[in-house]
Every structure is written in C-alpha cells, then in structure tokens.
Amino acid sequence: MSLARAGRIARLNRPCRPHVASRFSSSHAGEHDQHHHDAHADAIAFPREDFSAPIWRRFILYSLLAVGFYKFAPSPKEDNPFSRFLDQYRTPQEVWAAVNLKHLELSAQSQVDNLLVAEAKRPPVHRFRYPQAFEQYSPHLRPIGTTVDFGDLVIKGDKA
C-alpha cells in the first residue's frame, strides 16, 4: 500500500473537529447557573389546581343539562310539537323501502351481467390446415349417401 493512500485512510478514520471552538468552563459557571435558576423559579406562578377551574364548571353544567333533558324529554311515541316538526321534513319509510328494493334489483341485474361477460367464450373456429382436401377425392365410384355435396362450399380466404 502506498504512503499516500495510507495517509488518506488515516485522515478518514480520524474524528473531525468542529469548526467552532468549544467553550471551556470556568470556576464561577456553577454559581452563575444556580443564581440564574433561582431567579426564574420565583417569577413563574402556576395556577391553583382544583375543581374550581372553568372547564370543570362547564362539564358539570353540561352534564346536568344532559341528564335533565334525558329525564324530562318526551318519549319517541308521544305526540309533541318537536316530533311533528321533524316529521314534516323526514322522508317516509315507504319511499326508502322502494328505493332500497330498486337498488337491490339493479345490483342483482348488474351481477348477472357481470357473470355473463366473465364467463363468455368465443365460439370455436375449426380451421383446416389443408382445405384443398375437400377437392382431393374423386366424386365417382362412391356409394350413394356416403358423401356430402361440397359443391357450394366456399372456403374463407378464397376470392373466387
């Protein structure tokens, strides 16, 4: 190994030093930090932690309102103005039943169509390698009924 390469490897393995010089601590640094911390500890005032905070008052108020509404609200079978108002703008149950039935019928038809397309196959096409074989044998000396008349047979690809 060459000396230049060995020096390059040694430089790569050496930890790099930061460009900013590190600050060396002095003997009075600990005293300064302690004094600094004490000054801020007195300035910070935390709120009192108890159940008189506004959020707890709101929670209790809303809970009482919910329990009162549940207890004194009319039952669903009672006739009241609020129920009548909601019934004016609600779609009748028969309409939704008809819509759901129509959707079911269309979904079933769609599945039948999808199945038909998925299982569809092209009709088989029989292609002969040598279509001239139809004309190869003599029509003479054959017994009656054993041959098929291919006189009007048109082979695909022939333009005649």
PDB file of all heavy atoms in Angstrom, residues 106-120:
ATOM      1  N   LEU A 106     -81.431  -3.697  -9.218  1.00  0.00           N
ATOM      2  CA  LEU A 106     -80.391  -3.264 -10.159  1.00  0.00           C
ATOM      3  C   LEU A 106     -79.045  -3.909  -9.845  1.00  0.00           C
ATOM      4  O   LEU A 106     -78.284  -4.253 -10.765  1.00  0.00           O
ATOM      5  CB  LEU A 106     -80.275  -1.742 -10.143  1.00  0.00           C
ATOM      6  CG  LEU A 106     -81.467  -0.980 -10.721  1.00  0.00           C
ATOM      7  CD1 LEU A 106     -81.279   0.519 -10.538  1.00  0.00           C
ATOM      8  CD2 LEU A 106     -81.648  -1.315 -12.185  1.00  0.00           C
ATOM      9  N   SER A 107     -78.735  -4.087  -8.561  1.00  0.00           N
ATOM     10  CA  SER A 107     -77.478  -4.751  -8.187  1.00  0.00           C
ATOM     11  C   SER A 107     -77.482  -6.211  -8.635  1.00  0.00           C
ATOM     12  O   SER A 107     -76.470  -6.716  -9.132  1.00  0.00           O
ATOM     13  CB  SER A 107     -77.271  -4.677  -6.679  1.00  0.00           C
ATOM     14  OG  SER A 107     -77.120  -3.355  -6.263  1.00  0.00           O
ATOM     15  N   ALA A 108     -78.624  -6.892  -8.467  1.00  0.00           N
ATOM     16  CA  ALA A 108     -78.711  -8.286  -8.900  1.00  0.00           C
ATOM     17  C   ALA A 108     -78.559  -8.392 -10.413  1.00  0.00           C
ATOM     18  O   ALA A 108     -77.859  -9.278 -10.920  1.00  0.00           O
ATOM     19  CB  ALA A 108     -80.038  -8.892  -8.453  1.00  0.00           C
ATOM     20  N   GLN A 109     -79.214  -7.484 -11.161  1.00  0.00           N
ATOM     21  CA  GLN A 109     -79.083  -7.497 -12.622  1.00  0.00           C
ATOM     22  C   GLN A 109     -77.640  -7.209 -13.049  1.00  0.00           C
ATOM     23  O   GLN A 109     -77.127  -7.812 -13.985  1.00  0.00           O
ATOM     24  CB  GLN A 109     -80.041  -6.477 -13.250  1.00  0.00           C
ATOM     25  CG  GLN A 109     -80.028  -6.485 -14.758  1.00  0.00           C
ATOM     26  CD  GLN A 109     -80.430  -7.833 -15.332  1.00  0.00           C
ATOM     27  OE1 GLN A 109     -81.321  -8.487 -14.825  1.00  0.00           O
ATOM     28  NE2 GLN A 109     -79.759  -8.239 -16.386  1.00  0.00           N
ATOM     29  N   SER A 110     -76.991  -6.294 -12.340  1.00  0.00           N
ATOM     30  CA  SER A 110     -75.597  -5.968 -12.652  1.00  0.00           C
ATOM     31  C   SER A 110     -74.696  -7.179 -12.422  1.00  0.00           C
ATOM     32  O   SER A 110     -73.779  -7.448 -13.211  1.00  0.00           O
ATOM     33  CB  SER A 110     -75.135  -4.787 -11.791  1.00  0.00           C
ATOM     34  OG  SER A 110     -73.773  -4.566 -11.955  1.00  0.00           O
ATOM     35  N   GLN A 111     -74.948  -7.930 -11.347  1.00  0.00           N
ATOM     36  CA  GLN A 111     -74.151  -9.121 -11.086  1.00  0.00           C
ATOM     37  C   GLN A 111     -74.388 -10.196 -12.139  1.00  0.00           C
ATOM     38  O   GLN A 111     -73.447 -10.886 -12.544  1.00  0.00           O
ATOM     39  CB  GLN A 111     -74.462  -9.665  -9.687  1.00  0.00           C
ATOM     40  CG  GLN A 111     -73.948  -8.788  -8.581  1.00  0.00           C
ATOM     41  CD  GLN A 111     -72.456  -8.576  -8.668  1.00  0.00           C
ATOM     42  OE1 GLN A 111     -71.695  -9.513  -8.896  1.00  0.00           O
ATOM     43  NE2 GLN A 111     -72.033  -7.345  -8.528  1.00  0.00           N
ATOM     44  N   VAL A 112     -75.616 -10.338 -12.597  1.00  0.00           N
ATOM     45  CA  VAL A 112     -75.895 -11.306 -13.665  1.00  0.00           C
ATOM     46  C   VAL A 112     -75.163 -10.913 -14.942  1.00  0.00           C
ATOM     47  O   VAL A 112     -74.562 -11.748 -15.623  1.00  0.00           O
ATOM     48  CB  VAL A 112     -77.423 -11.412 -13.900  1.00  0.00           C
ATOM     49  CG1 VAL A 112     -77.727 -12.180 -15.162  1.00  0.00           C
ATOM     50  CG2 VAL A 112     -78.088 -12.070 -12.706  1.00  0.00           C
ATOM     51  N   ASP A 113     -75.189  -9.614 -15.258  1.00  0.00           N
ATOM     52  CA  ASP A 113     -74.488  -9.141 -16.453  1.00  0.00           C
ATOM     53  C   ASP A 113     -72.984  -9.346 -16.330  1.00  0.00           C
ATOM     54  O   ASP A 113     -72.315  -9.744 -17.295  1.00  0.00           O
ATOM     55  CB  ASP A 113     -74.796  -7.660 -16.701  1.00  0.00           C
ATOM     56  CG  ASP A 113     -76.254  -7.424 -17.058  1.00  0.00           C
ATOM     57  OD1 ASP A 113     -76.945  -8.401 -17.423  1.00  0.00           O
ATOM     58  OD2 ASP A 113     -76.709  -6.266 -16.951  1.00  0.00           O
ATOM     59  N   ASN A 114     -72.436  -9.066 -15.158  1.00  0.00           N
ATOM     60  CA  ASN A 114     -71.003  -9.266 -14.955  1.00  0.00           C
ATOM     61  C   ASN A 114     -70.625 -10.729 -15.089  1.00  0.00           C
ATOM     62  O   ASN A 114     -69.582 -11.063 -15.667  1.00  0.00           O
ATOM     63  CB  ASN A 114     -70.574  -8.751 -13.575  1.00  0.00           C
ATOM     64  CG  ASN A 114     -70.552  -7.250 -13.511  1.00  0.00           C
ATOM     65  OD1 ASN A 114     -70.518  -6.576 -14.528  1.00  0.00           O
ATOM     66  ND2 ASN A 114     -70.583  -6.725 -12.304  1.00  0.00           N
ATOM     67  N   LEU A 115     -71.461 -11.620 -14.563  1.00  0.00           N
ATOM     68  CA  LEU A 115     -71.196 -13.046 -14.667  1.00  0.00           C
ATOM     69  C   LEU A 115     -71.273 -13.514 -16.117  1.00  0.00           C
ATOM     70  O   LEU A 115     -70.461 -14.329 -16.568  1.00  0.00           O
ATOM     71  CB  LEU A 115     -72.208 -13.812 -13.811  1.00  0.00           C
ATOM     72  CG  LEU A 115     -71.819 -15.207 -13.381  1.00  0.00           C
ATOM     73  CD1 LEU A 115     -70.567 -15.170 -12.541  1.00  0.00           C
ATOM     74  CD2 LEU A 115     -72.954 -15.837 -12.613  1.00  0.00           C
ATOM     75  N   LEU A 116     -72.230 -12.978 -16.860  1.00  0.00           N
ATOM     76  CA  LEU A 116     -72.357 -13.327 -18.273  1.00  0.00           C
ATOM     77  C   LEU A 116     -71.117 -12.912 -19.052  1.00  0.00           C
ATOM     78  O   LEU A 116     -70.585 -13.678 -19.862  1.00  0.00           O
ATOM     79  CB  LEU A 116     -73.608 -12.659 -18.859  1.00  0.00           C
ATOM     80  CG  LEU A 116     -73.855 -12.890 -20.349  1.00  0.00           C
ATOM     81  CD1 LEU A 116     -74.239 -14.345 -20.580  1.00  0.00           C
ATOM     82  CD2 LEU A 116     -74.915 -11.956 -20.857  1.00  0.00           C
ATOM     83  N   VAL A 117     -70.633 -11.715 -18.793  1.00  0.00           N
ATOM     84  CA  VAL A 117     -69.443 -11.230 -19.505  1.00  0.00           C
ATOM     85  C   VAL A 117     -68.208 -12.004 -19.069  1.00  0.00           C
ATOM     86  O   VAL A 117     -67.336 -12.336 -19.883  1.00  0.00           O
ATOM     87  CB  VAL A 117     -69.270  -9.708 -19.265  1.00  0.00           C
ATOM     88  CG1 VAL A 117     -67.937  -9.226 -19.776  1.00  0.00           C
ATOM     89  CG2 VAL A 117     -70.392  -8.940 -19.929  1.00  0.00           C
ATOM     90  N   ALA A 118     -68.105 -12.323 -17.780  1.00  0.00           N
ATOM     91  CA  ALA A 118     -66.916 -13.012 -17.278  1.00  0.00           C
ATOM     92  C   ALA A 118     -66.831 -14.442 -17.814  1.00  0.00           C
ATOM     93  O   ALA A 118     -65.737 -14.953 -18.043  1.00  0.00           O
ATOM     94  CB  ALA A 118     -66.935 -13.024 -15.745  1.00  0.00           C
ATOM     95  N   GLU A 119     -67.971 -15.098 -18.003  1.00  0.00           N
ATOM     96  CA  GLU A 119     -67.957 -16.481 -18.465  1.00  0.00           C
ATOM     97  C   GLU A 119     -68.118 -16.615 -19.974  1.00  0.00           C
ATOM     98  O   GLU A 119     -68.209 -17.730 -20.478  1.00  0.00           O
ATOM     99  CB  GLU A 119     -69.067 -17.262 -17.764  1.00  0.00           C
ATOM    100  CG  GLU A 119     -68.839 -17.422 -16.274  1.00  0.00           C
ATOM    101  CD  GLU A 119     -69.942 -18.204 -15.607  1.00  0.00           C
ATOM    102  OE1 GLU A 119     -70.985 -18.433 -16.256  1.00  0.00           O
ATOM    103  OE2 GLU A 119     -69.771 -18.595 -14.449  1.00  0.00           O
ATOM    104  N   ALA A 120     -68.163 -15.511 -20.682  1.00  0.00           N
ATOM    105  CA  ALA A 120     -68.373 -15.570 -22.136  1.00  0.00           C
ATOM    106  C   ALA A 120     -67.144 -16.151 -22.828  1.00  0.00           C
ATOM    107  O   ALA A 120     -66.006 -15.902 -22.428  1.00  0.00           O
ATOM    108  CB  ALA A 120     -68.659 -14.175 -22.678  1.00  0.00           C
TER     109      ALA A 120
END
